[in-house]
Amino acid sequence: MDDRRAATPGGDDHREGRRTTRTAPPLEREREIAALRSAVRSAREGTGTVVLVQGPPGTGKTSLLAVAADIGHRTGLAVLAARGRELEREIALGVAVDLLAAPVTAAAPPERARLLSGPAAQAGPLFDTAADTGHQAADTGHQATDPGHQAADTGHQAADTGHQAADAILRGLCHLVAHLTGRNLPAARPRPTLLLVDDAQWADAASLRFLAMLADRIDRLPLAMVIATRDGEECSDAAVPRRLAAHPDARVLALVPLTAGAVARLVSAAFPEADGELAAAVAHASGGNPFFVTELLRSLEAAGAAGTPTAGAVAGMVPGTVLHSVLARLALLSADAGRLATAVAVLGDGTPLRRAAAHAELGLEAAERAADALAAARLLEPGNPLSFTHPLIGAAVHADQPAFTRSRQHRRAADLLAADGEGADRVAGHLMAVEPEGDPGVAGVLRGAAGRALRRGDPSAAARLLARAAAEPPPAELRAETLIELARAQAVAGDLDARATIARALDLLHGVPAARARALGLLAGIRHGCGDVPGAVAAHEEALSLLDPRTPRWQDELADYLVITSFHPSLRRQAGRRLRPVLDDARRGHPPSSPGLLAHVALWLALAGDPPPLVRKAAGAALAAETPVRLADHGALLGLVLHALVIAGELTAAEEAAGAAMATARRRGNTPAHAFAGYHRALARFHQGALPEALADLETARGPHAVGWTLAGGWIGWLLARVLIELGDRPGADKALAMVDEQPAQSMEAGLAMHVRAQLALSEGRPAAALEAAHAAGRHLRQIYDIDHPGLLPWRTTAALAAHRLGDHRQAQRLSEQALDRARAVEVTRDLGVALRVAGMVARPHRDIGLLKQAAATLSRVPATLEYARTLVALGSALRRDGQRTACAQPLRQGLDLAERMHARPLAERARAELHTIGRRPRRTAVTGIDALTPAERRVALLALNGLSNRQIADDLFITTKTVETHLAHAYRKLAIGNRRQLQDAFATRSP
């Protein structure tokens, strides 16, 4: 930290954890103090602000934070403070936890439960003081001795889970801050808060990302963030300070040296008889740096010269020699004082006197006398715990120790912290500074700390810890395993050195098939992430060859292999050959035991047109063997199962499983998993005709895509376009399809999007374009993926309708007959009903009313409400054209009612137009009740029903809080209710 008395001799500074009073403000910092007062005032008024204090070492950043703390305390703000420590940069989220721990741990159990409710629950384990003890670290080390303990983990799955968990934890911390300020908690009063972070350049990368994420939300919080960072220091994540400085709500305070006049005032305060020459010499030697000015004056005082020193006494004093003078002052003190100062330099600021005394091998009374002497020499702050008056002093004392002596002292510090039950992460910080000695205990602690760093979202710190563990080295039987863990951390961090690391591990694993296979699985994930698909496949192939096909591990490896190959055009047939024996066994009643492989089996059976009961059995086994919670964590595997259920027509089962996964993911704060499950629930809801509900789920699914999770963008765009077409928003559908354009031309989504464009063209009266696009979509999936299932791509029915409108009735009938044959083959009731409807519509010389009635009867048995409503309107239209004016009214009215309830505006308009033609006056659109809600009002009401706050709804839908409030107010009025607690009853009165 920066000088605590640099510009205010004799002043007392704010110290973390206690409130103090300053005697005078820092010199020449009026502009900066005004900015701090403004930030505090804005927080009190409910508006957030970011203040970034930047400057070289010693320019008074800490003094300004002390001023900010004093202003905050005096104006009634809650003040939270923490600082980065160089030895603790590997403790993932260490600064964030230090910042927020006090109010969380001090809260009574009910209040703590409120603070850590909702998405904030994901951050809860960070504040469990028992979670990271040294004893547990030792346990972790012992567990690590089992080379197979992570056998189920694969490279890419571990990386995905790490990213997802990290993002969820950071969001959880942001929600915790919101709760601490009184936001998003029912009946909570606003609690304006001042958040102070000093020495942010030494903060861990995960904490820096948390600060950046919090800054992005600060306009919604009564929060002032003041962050001090040192120029010229390597930062754990250099992008964060730049991002904070560029924030629209940020104020950057770049500290400049003191002027000659300010230096003269400080010189006069120390030496009242000094002349201008001495002040000028001090200004020149210090460069106006407040710390160097103060230390230079202290050095002159310590020299003991009688009277006032002359300018000549300053000659040759530059910053480096000033620090040497600090060591010279220390040398004048007792040997005990020197040993205690060295102990504090090694252990770090904030060290309890008892621990520093033990490290220095001093009795407690001797240590107390030494501490008092160091305080009198203005090297240590007075009182307990012990801290240097400036980190540069501690750094000088630390650097003065010989290298091997320093290493031994850090090892002693690590032992003391472990004996005191301090967290293993703090122990690991000291072990990082110890020379490797081949101690298995050291390697175990470092590996345990690395695991926690990875889970908390700091893979770079995990990689540094594991690299040090590998250098120890660990016992021979654990060296390859440690390298595998290191490669995994590097892969999560995006470090291409992971390839070299895993190669080192593989060199150690000849003759160890199971461990080598696991390493190859990680190598495959790394290669796949780098775009080396052939290399990834080769690694998986070798891994599969090393494993017994009868074992669960082989099945897990095959599942990972299929993730890469199943949807890669040139590899899909190769994947099919690998999977064919497994599929044959499943068809004979012997499915695999691996949940991952079961997920693939379910989808491949569905796409192959196997009977829906068989698909349902495989999907059910996958969900039962590994709950939707775990599948949601894996993401892709849950999607395979749910898509299989939808294709097989098991819409209710798909919606329920997706809903369960969403609930669990939201409870854990796992945003990507929540979004992924939301997409699949939207897919099931779309087919059931729950259009506003599907749209609400898709808005949730789009959240991660908007901030860079683009992998699922094509699928989201495809489905979103389909929903918007049915809602009558054609421009919106066109915009949604642009998300698909970001994907490769041969991707499966590209083919699906061709079909959506065919449907758009058909609705816009362009049947020729529709026919061409429908045929192209069918060719795309057949030729590239060998897929032809109407549950995924009903291209024939669309093409038949387009040909019919073009007057090519022969082609229309041929296509409709093919669609009917295919639907009967796959035995999916929904697809059969759709094919029957289209066959009836394109029949010549007139529409086949018998087929249309059969279609309506078929669809009435399944929850495919949208297709059922479409069929009713088609049947009513055919009856009218056949002259059956009385008989046509009933299906038209029923179809209109369903269409309006679904907000399917184009379909409702067609039904209404048909009824007008026969002289009927259909009822007006509802102005009260659920049917009266617009799609926007309905999806906001549904998100509120699911427990989201107005702010969370705004976040999910990318709209303002005011817009959410407006939609809810309109919904309450139409539903005749007064608050969100009554939404459950309002929606329970009628199914969507």
Side-chain angles (χ1 to χ4, degrees):
M1 288 194 295
D2 291 273
D3 183 33
R4 293 182 169 81
R5 294 186 178 82
T8 54
D12 293 325
D13 277 303
H14 168 78
R15 297 281 299 152
E16 187 177 328
R18 69 173 185 251
R19 181 180 173 180
T20 59
T21 303
R22 297 185 57 83
T23 57
L27 293 178
E28 296 190 331
R29 296 294 185 249
E30 292 81 7
R31 177 184 67 90
E32 290 81 2
I33 293 173
L36 296 173
R37 291 186 188 279
S38 176
V40 169
R41 184 167 56 252
S42 294
R44 285 177 56 82
E45 295 171 354
T47 302
T49 309
V50 178
V51 178
L52 194 62
V53 184
Q54 295 178 325
T59 49
K61 297 182 291 296
T62 296
S63 296
L64 280 175
L65 264 64
V67 170
D70 187 55
I71 295 170
H73 282 304
R74 285 189 286 105
T75 54
L77 268 67
V79 179
L80 306 176
R83 68 184 178 95
R85 295 177 173 87
E86 193 168 15
L87 270 177
E88 297 179 5
R89 297 171 80 165
E90 317 303 341
I91 303 178
L93 292 173
V95 169
V97 172
D98 286 349
L99 190 64
L100 304 175
V104 174
T105 56
E111 176 62 15
R112 178 168 178 166
R114 286 204 330 146
L115 291 174
L116 294 172
S117 62
Q122 186 66 34
L126 298 177
F127 302 96
D128 182 357
T129 55
D132 293 332
T133 63
H135 296 298
Q136 287 191 333
D139 291 342
T140 302
H142 291 306
Q143 291 170 359
T145 61
D146 175 12
H149 79 282
Q150 289 178 322
D153 289 340
T154 62
H156 69 275
Q157 286 180 343
D160 289 345
T161 302
H163 283 305
Q164 293 176 6
D167 184 68
I169 292 171
L170 297 185
R171 285 176 64 92
L173 286 169
C174 290
H175 281 281
L176 172 59
V177 173
H179 291 173
L180 288 169
T181 65
R183 289 294 174 92
N184 294 346
L185 282 180
R189 292 196 298 180
R191 183 74 162 106
T193 300
L194 173 63
L195 185 152
L196 304 169
V197 179
D198 201 0
D199 285 327
Q201 76 282 348
W202 288 334
D204 58 281
S207 290
L208 288 173
R209 290 195 293 275
F210 155 66
L211 293 174
M213 186 178 287
L214 183 60
D216 288 340
R217 293 158 172 76
I218 199 162
D219 61 317
R220 312 160 191 167
L221 301 173
L223 178 69
M225 294 174 61
V226 182
I227 301 170
T229 182
R230 180 185 293 186
D231 292 345
E233 286 278 350
E234 182 180 352
C235 187
S236 300
D237 189 339
V240 171
R242 292 194 297 269
R243 181 174 166 187
L244 290 171
H247 194 280
D249 294 316
R251 175 81 181 273
V252 179
L253 305 180
L255 302 187
V256 296
L258 299 176
T259 64
V263 174
R265 289 171 60 187
L266 292 173
V267 171
S268 296
F271 302 102
E273 304 299 324
D275 57 19
E277 290 185 2
L278 177 61
V282 170
H284 176 75
S286 67
N289 182 294
F291 167 75
F292 288 129
V293 170
T294 303
E295 288 305 314
L296 196 154
L297 293 175
R298 288 174 179 169
S299 297
L300 291 173
E301 288 178 340
T308 301
T310 64
V314 185
M317 282 193 171
V318 295
T321 58
V322 170
L323 288 176
H324 284 303
S325 74
V326 169
L327 298 176
R329 292 211 317 271
L330 180 61
L332 296 174
L333 303 178
S334 67
D336 286 354
R339 290 164 65 183
L340 187 68
T342 299
V344 177
V346 171
L347 289 164
D349 283 348
T351 295
L353 175 64
R354 175 189 55 79
R355 186 178 297 156
H359 189 277
E361 299 182 314
L362 295 173
L364 195 57
E365 289 187 7
E368 289 172 348
R369 289 192 296 271
D372 286 339
L374 289 164
R378 297 182 181 178
L379 295 173
L380 285 185
E381 294 278 10
N384 191 16
L386 306 181
S387 294
F388 286 103
T389 55
H390 195 284
L392 287 176
I393 296 175
V397 175
H398 188 265
D400 192 49
Q401 305 302 308
F404 287 105
T405 300
R406 212 165 38 236
S407 170
R408 186 59 50 200
Q409 289 169 340
H410 278 291
R411 179 56 195 262
R412 179 166 174 75
D415 292 342
L416 284 171
L417 265 63
D420 283 350
E422 290 283 355
D425 293 328
R426 297 190 187 278
V427 175
H430 287 281
L431 294 178
M432 290 288 286
V434 174
E435 290 292 324
E437 298 177 344
D439 186 334
V442 169
V445 171
L446 291 169
R447 291 175 68 197
R452 283 185 292 281
L454 190 61
R455 290 191 296 274
R456 291 181 177 185
D458 198 342
S460 296
R464 290 191 294 271
L465 288 160
L466 287 164
R468 173 61 185 81
E472 185 63 18
E477 67 272 14
L478 290 177
R479 290 175 189 173
E481 183 71 22
T482 302
L483 289 171
I484 291 172
E485 293 171 0
L486 172 57
R488 181 176 291 116
Q490 291 170 326
V492 177
D495 185 351
L496 292 181
D497 286 345
R499 293 177 293 191
T501 302
I502 200 65
R504 289 169 56 198
L506 287 167
D507 286 343
L508 298 174
L509 290 172
H510 292 292
V512 191
R516 184 173 178 84
R518 188 169 67 257
L520 286 164
L522 175 58
L523 176 61
I526 293 169
R527 286 175 172 174
H528 189 215
C530 296
D532 181 8
V533 173
V537 172
H540 273 311
E541 292 278 4
E542 183 182 350
L544 288 167
S545 70
L546 294 171
L547 297 169
D548 185 343
R550 296 167 295 182
T551 62
R553 183 70 192 94
W554 183 88
Q555 294 186 7
D556 290 337
E557 186 66 35
L558 179 59
D560 298 333
Y561 165 85
L562 292 170
V563 168
I564 297 176
T565 54
S566 292
F567 300 100
H568 197 281
S570 63
L571 299 172
R572 184 171 173 82
R573 286 185 172 83
Q574 185 175 331
R577 286 194 296 272
R578 278 280 189 183
L579 192 57
R580 189 173 297 118
V582 181
L583 293 174
D584 291 342
D585 285 344
R587 290 178 176 121
R588 288 192 292 266
H590 304 291
S593 59
S594 163
L597 196 53
L598 275 167
H600 285 286
V601 166
L603 183 61
W604 280 72
L605 289 174
L607 291 173
D610 279 85
L614 182 60
V615 175
R616 183 170 60 248
K617 182 178 180 181
L623 294 171
E626 191 162 337
T627 68
V629 175
R630 291 293 308 280
L631 287 174
D633 289 339
H634 291 164
L637 299 181
L638 175 69
L640 299 179
V641 175
L642 298 181
H643 223 121
L645 288 171
V646 171
I647 290 168
E650 301 294 337
L651 304 178
T652 303
E655 181 182 6
E656 290 175 353
M662 288 183 75
T664 302
R666 174 164 289 283
R667 187 167 60 251
R668 291 182 173 182
N670 190 330
T671 302
H674 182 259
F676 203 71
Y679 163 80
H680 288 93
R681 189 169 73 171
L683 182 64
R685 285 177 158 180
F686 167 77
H687 282 287
Q688 294 180 82
L691 300 180
E693 291 83 351
L695 188 60
D697 284 342
L698 284 170
E699 295 287 3
T700 298
R702 290 177 68 185
H705 178 270
V707 294
W709 294 71
T710 58
L711 184 62
W715 293 94
I716 294 170
W718 162 69
L719 181 56
L720 180 60
R722 297 176 72 188
V723 173
L724 293 173
I725 288 172
E726 301 301 336
L727 290 170
D729 184 0
R730 292 175 186 169
D734 278 326
K735 187 175 180 181
L737 287 173
M739 297 172 67
V740 188
D741 295 337
E742 300 170 5
Q743 307 305 313
Q746 286 198 316
S747 68
M748 190 176 292
E749 309 97 291
L752 298 174
M754 292 177 193
H755 182 246
V756 177
R757 289 191 168 95
Q759 292 175 312
L760 264 176
L762 197 58
S763 69
E764 294 168 352
R766 297 183 289 115
L771 182 62
E772 181 180 353
H775 276 293
R779 285 194 303 272
H780 186 95
L781 258 65
R782 286 198 315 277
Q783 294 176 3
I784 298 177
Y785 294 95
D786 196 26
I787 292 175
D788 186 8
H789 195 297
L792 179 66
L793 187 73
W795 69 272
R796 289 186 180 86
T797 52
T798 301
L801 291 172
H804 178 68
R805 292 194 189 178
L806 283 171
D808 189 348
H809 303 299
R810 179 174 297 176
Q811 181 179 190
Q813 287 186 286
R814 183 179 71 252
L815 287 166
S816 69
E817 289 168 1
Q818 291 174 0
L820 198 52
D821 289 343
R822 190 74 187 115
R824 285 171 175 150
V826 301
E827 301 179 12
V828 176
T829 305
R830 177 199 62 226
D831 300 333
L832 179 59
V834 172
L836 286 167
R837 181 186 74 240
V838 172
M841 292 176 68
V842 304
R844 298 298 292 170
H846 306 290
R847 298 189 182 191
D848 191 325
I849 293 174
L851 285 177
L852 290 170
K853 287 182 177 180
Q854 188 180 348
T858 300
L859 290 167
S860 69
R861 300 195 300 267
V862 293
T865 309
L866 179 61
E867 297 298 345
Y868 181 46
R870 210 188 315 272
T871 301
L872 288 170
V873 174
L875 173 59
S877 176
L879 289 169
R880 181 189 65 79
R881 285 173 170 77
D882 194 49
Q884 302 184 45
R885 297 172 65 86
T886 302
C888 75
Q890 192 273 335
L892 286 172
R893 281 203 182 98
Q894 190 178 357
L896 173 61
D897 181 62
L898 290 174
E900 287 188 334
R901 291 173 63 181
M902 292 182 292
H903 293 272
R905 187 162 59 87
L907 180 59
E909 289 174 353
R910 288 200 298 275
R912 188 174 283 106
E914 290 285 347
L915 286 167
H916 278 299
T917 301
I918 62 172
R920 302 298 175 93
R921 294 184 178 179
R923 63 175 178 82
R924 294 182 178 180
T925 301
V927 294
T928 61
I930 291 178
D931 292 342
L933 299 181
T934 66
E937 292 165 356
R938 186 160 177 163
R939 67 177 180 267
V940 167
L942 286 165
L943 291 173
L945 178 64
N946 288 335
L948 275 68
S949 68
N950 289 2
R951 182 67 265 162
Q952 291 168 326
I953 296 171
D955 288 346
D956 278 352
L957 302 184
F958 295 95
I959 57 179
T960 66
T961 306
K962 184 64 176 177
T963 301
V964 173
E965 293 169 354
T966 300
H967 285 324
L968 282 177
H970 291 166
Y972 294 163
R973 185 176 65 253
K974 292 176 180 179
L975 297 173
I977 61 176
N979 55 58
R980 64 174 58 210
R981 289 190 298 275
Q982 296 172 293
L983 284 170
Q984 184 71 48
D985 292 337
F987 276 85
T989 60
R990 119 128 163 61
S991 300

